[in-house]
Amino acid sequence: MELLTAIAIGILFALGVFQLLRRNIIRSAIGLIILANAVNLFLLSTGAYISIEPAYVSDTTGVLSDALPQALILTAIVISMGGTAFVLSMLYIISARYKTSDMDEVDGLKN
Amino acid sequence: MVHSHLAFLPILIPLTGAMIALLLGRRRSLQAVWTLGTMLAALASSSWLLAVVWRSGQPVVFQSGGWAAPFGISLIGDLLAAVFVVMSQLVLATGVLYAIGSKDSVVKYPTFYPLYLMLATSLSGAILTGDLFNMYVFAELLVISGTVLTAISDDRYGTEAAYKYFYISLLASFFMLLAVGCLYVSFGTLNMADLAKRIAADSGGQLLLPSIGFLMATFMVKSAVFPFHFWQPDFHTAAPTAVSAMLSSVVVKLGVYGFLRMTTLLFLPQAATIRSLLLALGVVGVVFGGLSALGTHNAKRMLAYSTLAQVGFILVGIGWGTPLAIAAAIVFAFNHSLIKAGMLMLAGYVASRASVKSASFDVVTGVGRSIPAAGVLFFIGSLGLAGIPPTNGFISKMFLFRSGIDGAAFGSLAFIGVGSILTLLYTMRAFQRIWWQDPPEGAKAKPVGDLLVAPFILIGLVLVLGLWAEPLVQVATDTSAWLGNPAGYIQAVMGG
């Protein structure tokens, strides 16, 4: 299960980075969202974490997992939600101004 | 500790001020005056903190909620943090003054001042906090308030520049979260003093090196250090003048602060490696920033590239790493904040008098003919940036060069010498274009523009600190001595 989690997080990272580097600005924003989730999952896996037991308290093994990373994730989720909303609203303004979603055509800053 | 609340006040005052300023949204002049009062009160509280810390020789530690050190969040006002907070709030207070006298339409926006106060809150918070995750939260708040202030700028490309910056900063904050995760899983704590203690005791964790790399990347983005600088000139050019003067002077110092903490507290066993990397990046930044500033066609953009070079100077100081060089880096950081904020305000002032609102050299050529007072200030500021007496820039450059000669680092000294000459070249070229050349036919300067009060105060301070540099140099030397003794810091935070 640990291996599976690690691989899943790795795939999420790869997907996120790949989308992030696309020219389409909407795709790259989606890449940002995927990356945010990958980072949060990574933080989750830093707490004590045993096999398929629930990540918080386990009745069967008696292991209490560390609650701090989960508190960190809660904060990080809220912040990344605000960040994502802000990114999308700026994206809306930019794509409305240039009538395109291709990053190469958003070139106002070059001059 | 008697004065423990002092470490909390520089965060609490602007935060409360921002909330009340939000309620005053409909009464603009009252809101502006309230913001100025709040910033001055915050400045007073942080100066008080500096005075108490310096006189008592003990860091002021505030354990929030009364939880003992590794469990709660500690706010720590040691000498380094106090100096940086005083520096930030001094410049931020003059920024409010500039905004009050500004003709930009962005300052009439009802949330401009609350956002500005949030910028002040988050900057003070990120500096004063002793907890890595708390620093992430404050850094994120800093990024968001800075970005919104730029996105609503009068400049029509403000939104794009803000988007570019926010995008990079979100990535930087992912890096910081990854570093937090790596450190937490290896050492089981996020309190910086506790982390420092555990890392010094056992640096065998496999995730330690990645976490150093992630933190380095984070602070490099925050400070716009060479390979991660590409967002900075656009962002600092498009921001409203009152804001860009803050972004380019004090906000970039957060990364510098982070590097100082990394090399003197957190990662002592690995400090030599980090320092050699910082030295190389600093030298590249000095030369690259200087050359880029020479090649620009816009006064604000020139100053933004100049920040890249000046941060490079500071990194070189941190990279040398001797107590003298660290003191020089702190003096340099303090002086650069004052000079750069003043210069950017002057550039914005000139732009506000030009026929089209822009700081492009084609537009502002000859505009200075009708504003000789700003010319004198700009000239003094240029001398400061280039490091010529009687300005404080001379003090910081001399201090840095002396520490380099002491450390026999002649290779990097030669490079930063070249960088200094480049500084003189580009500032003098800007001065000549704006104040000496005749305006082109038909171009007419506007009779009124922004007020000169704020740049006057800053450039005045540049002169005062150049002629009477002893207190600042003394504080910096003491700070450097404190940084040489991380055990004292750890003991003050953890107790016992």
Side-chain angles (χ1 to χ4, degrees), chain B residues 38-48 85-87 89-91 93:
Chain B
T38 308
M39 269 329 295
L40 289 178
L43 177 61
S45 74
S46 54
S47 313
W48 188 14
V85 169
V86 168
M87 170 189 93
Q89 297 194 332
L90 179 63
V91 176

Side-chain angles (χ1 to χ4, degrees), chain A residues 13 20 25 28 32 35-36 39-40 42-43 46 66 68-69 72 75-76 79 83 86-87 90-91 93-94 97-98 106 108-109, chain B residues 133 136-137 140 144 147-148 151 156-157 159-164 166-167 170-171 174 177-178 180-182 184-185 190 234 301:
Chain A
F13 264 104
L20 198 75
I25 44 178
S28 66
L32 219 51
L35 262 186
V39 171
N40 287 338
F42 170 77
L43 274 183
T46 62
D66 194 346
L68 190 88
L72 301 187
T75 317
I79 291 177
F86 187 47
V87 158
M90 280 198 287
L91 230 160
I93 294 176
I94 291 170
R97 182 184 290 165
Y98 288 91
V106 181
L109 281 170
Chain B
F133 190 77
Y136 156 79
V137 174
E140 201 67 350
I144 290 188
T147 318
V148 177
R156 77 178 282 269
Y157 300 117
T159 320
E160 281 161 68
Y163 183 73
K164 198 170 164 183
F166 196 63
Y167 202 79
L170 266 183
L171 286 181
F174 292 158
L177 275 180
L178 287 174
V180 163
C182 289
Y184 186 72
V185 78
L190 289 173
D234 287 334
R301 207 175 168 80

Side-chain angles (χ1 to χ4, degrees), chain B residues 260-352:
Chain B
L260 278 173
R261 278 274 183 257
M262 278 178 77
T263 53
T264 61
L265 176 71
L266 277 177
F267 303 115
L268 276 181
Q270 290 81 13
T273 321
I274 301 177
R275 284 192 174 126
S276 51
L277 187 62
L278 287 181
L279 182 61
L281 292 173
V283 167
V284 174
V286 166
V287 176
F288 178 83
L291 288 175
S292 308
L294 207 53
T296 53
H297 301 286
N298 182 310
K300 268 187 167 183
R301 207 175 168 80
M302 178 194 86
L303 291 170
Y305 271 119
S306 150
T307 301
L308 188 59
Q310 306 285 321
V311 168
F313 280 107
I314 301 170
L315 290 191
V316 168
I318 301 174
W320 284 337
T322 58
L324 198 62
I326 287 178
I330 294 164
V331 172
F332 205 109
F334 196 100
N335 286 338
H336 169 249
S337 296
L338 299 178
I339 304 171
K340 185 51 61 66
M343 293 285 279
L344 267 166
M345 285 174 187
L346 286 169
Y349 172 73
V350 169
S352 76

Side-chain angles (χ1 to χ4, degrees), chain B residues 64-412:
Chain B
S64 48
W67 294 90
F71 307 112
I73 292 171
S74 340
L75 300 172
I76 300 147
D78 72 335
L79 204 47
L80 177 68
V83 168
F84 269 69
V85 169
V86 168
M87 170 189 93
S88 322
Q89 297 194 332
L90 179 63
V91 176
L92 281 160
T94 58
V96 180
L97 263 183
Y98 190 90
I100 289 175
S102 169
K103 295 276 183 292
D104 287 356
S105 58
V106 55
V107 300
K108 299 184 179 70
Y109 202 65
T111 53
F112 178 84
Y113 287 114
L115 280 168
Y116 192 92
L117 285 174
M118 286 314 282
L119 193 76
T121 311
S122 49
L123 193 55
S124 321
I127 291 171
L128 283 172
T129 185
D131 183 276
L132 214 51
F133 190 77
N134 199 228
M135 192 188 224
Y136 156 79
V137 174
F138 276 123
E140 201 67 350
L141 192 60
L142 181 72
V143 166
I144 290 188
S145 39
T147 318
V148 177
L149 282 172
T150 307
I152 59 176
S153 165
D154 287 13
D155 193 309
R156 77 178 282 269
Y157 300 117
T159 320
E160 281 161 68
Y163 183 73
K164 198 170 164 183
Y165 169 63
F166 196 63
Y167 202 79
I168 304 301
S169 293
L170 266 183
L171 286 181
S173 53
F174 292 158
F175 280 136
M176 190 150 183
L177 275 180
L178 287 174
V180 163
C182 289
L183 285 174
Y184 186 72
V185 78
S186 313
F187 298 100
T189 180
L190 289 173
N191 185 302
M192 294 208 284
D194 200 15
L195 261 180
K197 200 165 84 181
R198 291 181 193 212
I199 290 174
D202 159 41
S203 54
Q206 282 182 346
L207 284 173
L208 183 63
L209 274 180
S211 67
I212 294 176
F214 288 137
L215 267 188
M216 287 280 290
T218 311
F219 290 133
M220 270 152 76
V221 172
K222 297 270 176 264
S223 267
V225 178
F226 167 66
F228 297 136
H229 67 280
F230 47 89
W231 53 270
Q232 186 248 25
D234 287 334
F235 186 58
H236 289 179
T237 312
T241 306
V243 178
S244 76
M246 302 305 114
L247 295 173
S248 204
S249 60
V250 288
V251 174
V252 292
K253 296 291 166 8
L254 179 60
V256 170
Y257 173 81
F259 286 132
L260 278 173
R261 278 274 183 257
M262 278 178 77
T263 53
T264 61
L265 176 71
L266 277 177
F267 303 115
L268 276 181
Q270 290 81 13
T273 321
I274 301 177
R275 284 192 174 126
S276 51
L277 187 62
L278 287 181
L279 182 61
L281 292 173
V283 167
V284 174
V286 166
V287 176
F288 178 83
L291 288 175
S292 308
L294 207 53
T296 53
H297 301 286
N298 182 310
K300 268 187 167 183
R301 207 175 168 80
M302 178 194 86
L303 291 170
Y305 271 119
S306 150
T307 301
L308 188 59
Q310 306 285 321
V311 168
F313 280 107
I314 301 170
L315 290 191
V316 168
I318 301 174
W320 284 337
T322 58
L324 198 62
I326 287 178
I330 294 164
V331 172
F332 205 109
F334 196 100
N335 286 338
H336 169 249
S337 296
L338 299 178
I339 304 171
K340 185 51 61 66
M343 293 285 279
L344 267 166
M345 285 174 187
L346 286 169
Y349 172 73
V350 169
S352 76
R353 295 290 289 261
S355 47
V356 193
K357 193 168 167 49
S358 158
S360 160
F361 280 140
D362 294 336
V363 177
V364 296
T365 300
V367 167
R369 282 298 169 98
S370 54
I371 38 172
V376 174
L377 294 180
F378 193 89
F379 187 74
I380 298 172
S382 310
L383 293 183
L385 213 51
I388 293 171
T391 56
N392 62 356
F394 170 67
I395 306 290
S396 39
K397 281 245 167 79
M398 193 187 67
F399 206 178
L400 191 65
F401 276 78
R402 210 187 92 195
S403 68
I405 292 169
D406 258 25
F410 296 108
S412 34

Side-chain angles (χ1 to χ4, degrees), chain A:
Chain A
M1 183 64 193
E2 254 178 55
L3 187 68
L4 218 62
T5 324
I7 291 173
I9 295 173
I11 290 174
L12 270 184
F13 264 104
L15 272 178
V17 171
F18 175 70
Q19 291 293 350
L20 198 75
L21 298 173
R22 299 291 284 263
R23 260 170 57 183
N24 189 314
I25 44 178
I26 296 165
R27 277 176 194 274
S28 66
I30 290 171
L32 219 51
I33 298 169
I34 296 176
L35 262 186
N37 286 307
V39 171
N40 287 338
L41 280 176
F42 170 77
L43 274 183
L44 181 70
S45 64
T46 62
Y49 195 12
I50 295 166
S51 179
I52 54 169
E53 300 300 335
Y56 38 99
V57 187
S58 163
D59 293 331
T60 45
T61 57
V63 173
L64 304 173
S65 82
D66 194 346
L68 190 88
Q70 297 173 30
L72 301 187
I73 298 167
L74 264 185
T75 317
I77 286 176
V78 172
I79 291 177
S80 64
M81 184 212 71
T84 312
F86 187 47
V87 158
L88 290 178
S89 63
M90 280 198 287
L91 230 160
Y92 173 74
I93 294 176
I94 291 170
S95 59
R97 182 184 290 165
Y98 288 91
K99 308 258 182 293
T100 178
S101 59
D102 188 339
M103 231 178 244
D104 282 359
E105 288 172 35
V106 181
D107 54 1
L109 281 170
K110 279 186 192 161
N111 313 311

